[in-house]
Amino acid sequence: MPLKKSWVASANDETHPFPLNNLPYGVFSTNGEDPRCGVAIGDMILDVTAAEEQGLIVLSDEPLFDLPFWNPLMEEGPAVWAALRDRLTTLLADGSEDRNSVEPLLVAQSDVQMHLPLVVSEYTDFYAGRHHAFNVGTMFRGPENALPPNWLHIPIGYNGRASSVVVSGTDIRRPWGQLKGPNDALPRFAPSQRFDIELEMGAIVGTPSDGPISVQEADDNIFGYVLLNDWSARDIQAWEYQPLGPFQAKATATSISPWIVTKAALEPFRCDTPAREFELLDHLKDVGPMLYDIDLSVTMAPAGQSATTIAQTNYKEMYYSAAQQLAHHTTSGCPMNTGDLLGSGTISGPEKQNRGSLLELSWGGKEPLTLDSGETRSFIEDGDTLTLQGVAKGDGYLIGFGDCTGTVLPALDAPYKRS
């Protein structure tokens, strides 16, 4: 599919992440005004809330965009999702008869503040990237026992905290926690010294379900995708994770990109999951190309320094797709809600430069990274800014998500010290 031409000139730049082919959904505000729904087009945002108020967009008898999140549209289902995309394309396409009415509703992206684009109902994070799982398992158990026995048969995950999902640009406070090193006789309570990121994609559930659903139904129920950074305190995690897995180590924050890229925009980039050692059980079998060819990268910038690219990989490296993760999540009868967020798990590739976490990149701290500034890092230091980027490359156009960025602030002063 080639570039679709828009009357918004910047959307026709083949290096811009928001062409007419994309039309991602976000929530923005200007000059202290209330947040409202918007669609990115080039370097502008179409105020969708205003467009609905003026009758340029009519999808329902009741307003869908009068609240500052996209959940009401998600609840309407795929037919309405498609109708909105068709209407937006008509309004913004080159030669549109509605240009004079739409143009006053455009706002420069440089003039806005972005907000969470959805109300996150529940958050589940998976451990479904094979290279990451193999690397981490090798560090702790050796290569012969790197993958747990169940890993090649089911997508492993845990239930996280929806309350700590934040939009890109939100500062991240270094967490306190209970730590115990290998040579410590007893644990201690202190700020994490091995704070880390995980480069992930997040799938957003649009259509709810009640009871088991198939992989195809799960794929149909997914509304769109975001970049996702699962901030992780590795030293807290090392002490707490047995026997029930991650808890406080993963509860500090989860950052997502400000724009939801719809599944429709990503259709041209579908690709197959990797070859399998074991045939999956029927409820998890692939029903076609279930992944997407999306280039991903991570940069790190110490305070006052330029950014260094520390990792580059691709979403197609995942072993399990979001649809398989969602279908598996429902097998016990677990209801899934509009606005549920599913983290893919860390997306790493086969080479060192493809590793999606500092734990892997520094091999547990034994091989520190050297940044362009000359500084070295094993894990994140206070003042460091980490940025995730993702882009799918089409025929003369790009599909982007916007940066997923967070700067790490120092830990609070002794939060439990009694006066």
Side-chain angles (χ1 to χ4, degrees), residues 71 74 118-124 203-206 326 329 334-342:
N71 299 58
M74 291 188 242
L118 75 156
V119 175
V120 179
S121 298
E122 305 281 353
Y123 168 52
T124 303
I204 297 169
V205 176
L326 176 55
H329 208 329
C334 170
M336 302 302 295
N337 302 311
T338 297
D340 281 352
L341 177 64
L342 306 182

Side-chain angles (χ1 to χ4, degrees), residues 129-204:
R130 178 164 186 173
H131 296 291
H132 172 71
F134 183 82
N135 288 337
V136 173
T138 298
M139 279 185 237
F140 295 104
R141 295 183 296 275
E144 64 282 354
N145 297 308
L147 295 179
N150 60 353
W151 199 94
L152 294 171
H153 299 274
I154 57 171
I156 298 170
Y158 68 93
N159 289 313
R161 292 291 303 173
S163 63
S164 56
V165 177
V166 297
V167 73
S168 172
T170 304
D171 291 337
I172 308 300
R173 181 73 66 177
R174 181 180 298 275
W176 284 71
Q178 194 172 112
L179 318 176
K180 184 181 181 299
N183 298 320
D184 295 335
L186 294 171
R188 68 190 192 282
F189 189 69
S192 170
Q193 298 302 303
R194 293 165 70 89
F195 202 40
D196 197 1
I197 61 158
E198 292 192 345
L199 168 60
E200 303 190 24
M201 294 289 296
I204 297 169

Side-chain angles (χ1 to χ4, degrees), residues 152 273-280 284 286 319-321 324:
L152 294 171
T273 48
R276 311 210 180 265
E277 286 85 342
F278 299 97
E279 185 175 1
L280 296 177
L284 284 176
D286 298 279
Y319 195 78
Y320 296 100
S321 68
Q324 289 166 317

